[in-house]
């Protein structure tokens, strides 16, 4: 979706990896997350500081093959291993359609999908997946189970300025991020978790070790370079190297897509779209509305539908 930004960047985002490099399983034996490239860790901390969307102090960073692998790692790490019953995993409907499938795909015996968080009333431990802004509807979300003591996993894939106002740095026990949505590089398959509890981080790392013995170093190095350029573009926007920041560009792309989508929906007379109240975005220092990132497929179908109607 953001190719038009990345194409003119040319050599700024090019990296060369000779055949003899990145051969070991290990990236940094001094780090708890021994398979994480130090440069990626550095750029993750930097981008959160530049954008102001997450606290990284006092957090362990765990890199994963997309945030999808990290979600599975988090479920593994947070589920009691010695309980006779699997722990319930819930999320408020409408939720990301992969959550139930991912939770139950290997019928692990330690966790099981239990549906809509809004109606979960069992008096037992649970894990709640809080997606904010939410996929598919784009609304800002908070925990929904009407009880304290739940274990929370915050999926913040879309908590970036092009999709939603950045109101405060996320300060959660366990937050998930991904380059798939932040920079548009879904094919790199790189995500990261910010984890408060060292024991939880260790178990997530163990899961990734058992699952894939680490995460592609080539991908990590590319992701580090892309994140570096995003941070540079924010810090040097308007200068000779970067006419605008990546987030100004991507915000404009999203605004235009939502304008076209709203127009097509209005003309169809068949569908409706939610309205989002504006909120102050600390990154843009402006009052802005949410523009959910999960409109890509709807966008393509609606514009196609609209063109058909116009042509007929
Ligand atoms: C809310 C949410 N979380 C996670 C993912 C998966 O991200 P990744 O590509 O990092 O595995 C998606 C992908 O659509 C998503 O919408």
């Amino acid at each position: 979706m953001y190719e038009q930004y990345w194409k003119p960047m040319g050599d700024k985002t090019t990296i060369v990896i000779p055949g003899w490099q990145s051969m070991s399983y290990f990236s940094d034996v001094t780090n708890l997350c021994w398979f994480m490239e130090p440069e990626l860790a550095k750029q993750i901390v930097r981008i959160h500081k530049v954008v102001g969307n997450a606290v990284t102090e006092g957090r362990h960073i765990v890199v994963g093959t997309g945030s999808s692998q990290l979600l599975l790692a988090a479920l593994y790490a947070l589920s009691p291993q010695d309980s006779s019953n699997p722990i319930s995993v819930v999320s408020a409907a409408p939720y990301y359609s992969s959550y139930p499938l991912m939770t139950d795909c290997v019928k692990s015996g330690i966790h099981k999908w239990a549906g809509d968080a809004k109606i979960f009333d069992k008096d037992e431990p649970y894990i709640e997946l809080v997606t904010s802004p939410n996929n598919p509807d784009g609304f800002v979300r908070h925990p929904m189970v009407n009880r304290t003591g739940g274990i929370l996993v915050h999926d913040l894939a879309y908590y970036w300025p092009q999709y939603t106002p950045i109101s405060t740095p996320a300060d959660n026990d366990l937050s998930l991020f991904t380059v798939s949505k932040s920079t548009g590089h879904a094919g790199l398959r790189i995500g990261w978790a910010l984890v408060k509890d060292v024991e939880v981080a260790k178990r997530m790392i163990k899961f990734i070790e058992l699952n894939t013995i680490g995460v592609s170093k080539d991908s990590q190095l590319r992701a580090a370079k892309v994140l570096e350029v995003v941070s540079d573009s924010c810090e040097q926007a308007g200068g000779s190297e970067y006419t605008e920041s990546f987030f100004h560009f991507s915000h404009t792309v999203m605004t235009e897509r939502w304008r076209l989508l709203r127009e097509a929906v209005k003309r169809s007379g068949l569908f409706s779209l939610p309205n989002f109240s504006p909120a102050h975005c600390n990154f843009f220092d402006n009052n802005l509305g949410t523009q959910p990132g999960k409109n890509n497929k709807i966008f393509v179908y609606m514009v196609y539908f609209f063109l058909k109607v116009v042509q007929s």
Side-chain angles (χ1 to χ4, degrees), residues 142-157:
H142 302 284
M144 292 279 194
V145 178
N146 192 14
R147 199 143 52 83
T148 52
I151 305 171
L152 303 177
V153 175
H154 283 81
D155 184 342
L156 303 186

Side-chain angles (χ1 to χ4, degrees), residues 230-303:
V230 172
S231 291
D232 286 350
S233 78
C234 296
E235 288 173 353
Q236 301 168 35
S240 56
E241 292 289 318
Y242 299 95
T243 49
E244 62 179 345
S245 80
F246 168 75
F247 293 114
H248 276 92
F249 173 90
S250 47
H251 188 268
T252 308
V253 169
M254 293 304 298
T255 305
E256 179 57 9
R257 285 193 162 215
W258 271 92
R259 190 188 66 72
L260 290 171
L261 181 60
R262 286 195 187 280
E263 198 176 300
V265 165
K266 196 171 156 199
R267 292 204 187 190
S268 78
L270 295 171
F271 305 101
S272 66
L273 287 168
N275 287 311
F276 301 95
S277 336
H280 189 261
C281 176
N282 294 337
F283 178 79
F284 287 124
D285 195 16
N286 213 340
N287 272 11
L288 298 165
T290 289
Q291 345 189 83
K294 213 50 202 179
N295 73 352
N296 298 344
K297 277 191 201 131
I298 313 171
F299 175 78
V300 173
Y301 292 142
M302 284 306 298
V303 172

Side-chain angles (χ1 to χ4, degrees), residues 59-219:
R59 300 302 193 280
H60 302 278
I61 304 176
V62 182
V63 65
T65 303
S67 60
S68 301
Q69 186 184 38
L70 289 161
L71 179 72
L72 296 174
L75 292 181
Y76 168 81
L78 296 168
S79 300
Q81 308 287 312
D82 49 4
S83 164
S84 51
N85 289 320
I87 188 168
S88 294
V89 180
V90 296
S91 187
Y95 40 73
Y96 174 36
S97 55
S98 294
Y99 287 156
L101 307 169
M102 290 169 83
T103 306
D104 286 346
C105 77
V106 294
K107 298 198 175 3
S108 74
I110 58 170
H111 49 68
K112 68 164 192 306
W113 180 250
D116 188 355
K118 280 180 267 182
I119 54 171
F120 181 76
D121 59 1
K122 287 190 189 142
D123 189 17
E124 57 180 41
Y126 64 92
I127 298 173
E128 180 172 354
L129 309 179
V130 182
T131 313
S132 189
N134 189 38
N135 171 5
D137 62 15
F139 284 99
V140 170
R141 281 279 182 84
H142 302 284
M144 292 279 194
V145 178
N146 192 14
R147 199 143 52 83
T148 52
I151 305 171
L152 303 177
V153 175
H154 283 81
D155 184 342
L156 303 186
Y158 297 97
Y159 192 47
W160 295 97
Q162 67 269 51
Y163 305 116
T164 194
I166 302 300
S167 50
T168 176
D171 189 5
N172 307 309
D173 286 346
L174 200 166
S175 299
L176 303 178
F177 291 92
T178 169
V179 293
S180 303
K181 317 299 172 187
S182 52
T183 70
H185 289 80
L188 291 188
R189 308 305 307 125
I190 292 294
W192 63 94
L194 303 179
V195 188
K196 218 182 233 176
D197 186 316
V198 67
E199 295 307 321
V200 173
K202 277 185 192 163
R203 284 201 293 275
M204 289 178 71
I205 290 162
K206 179 50 89 179
F207 178 92
I208 294 172
E209 180 190 327
L210 298 174
N211 191 222
T212 47
I213 327 184
V215 175
S216 163
K217 288 186 177 189
D218 293 6
S219 281

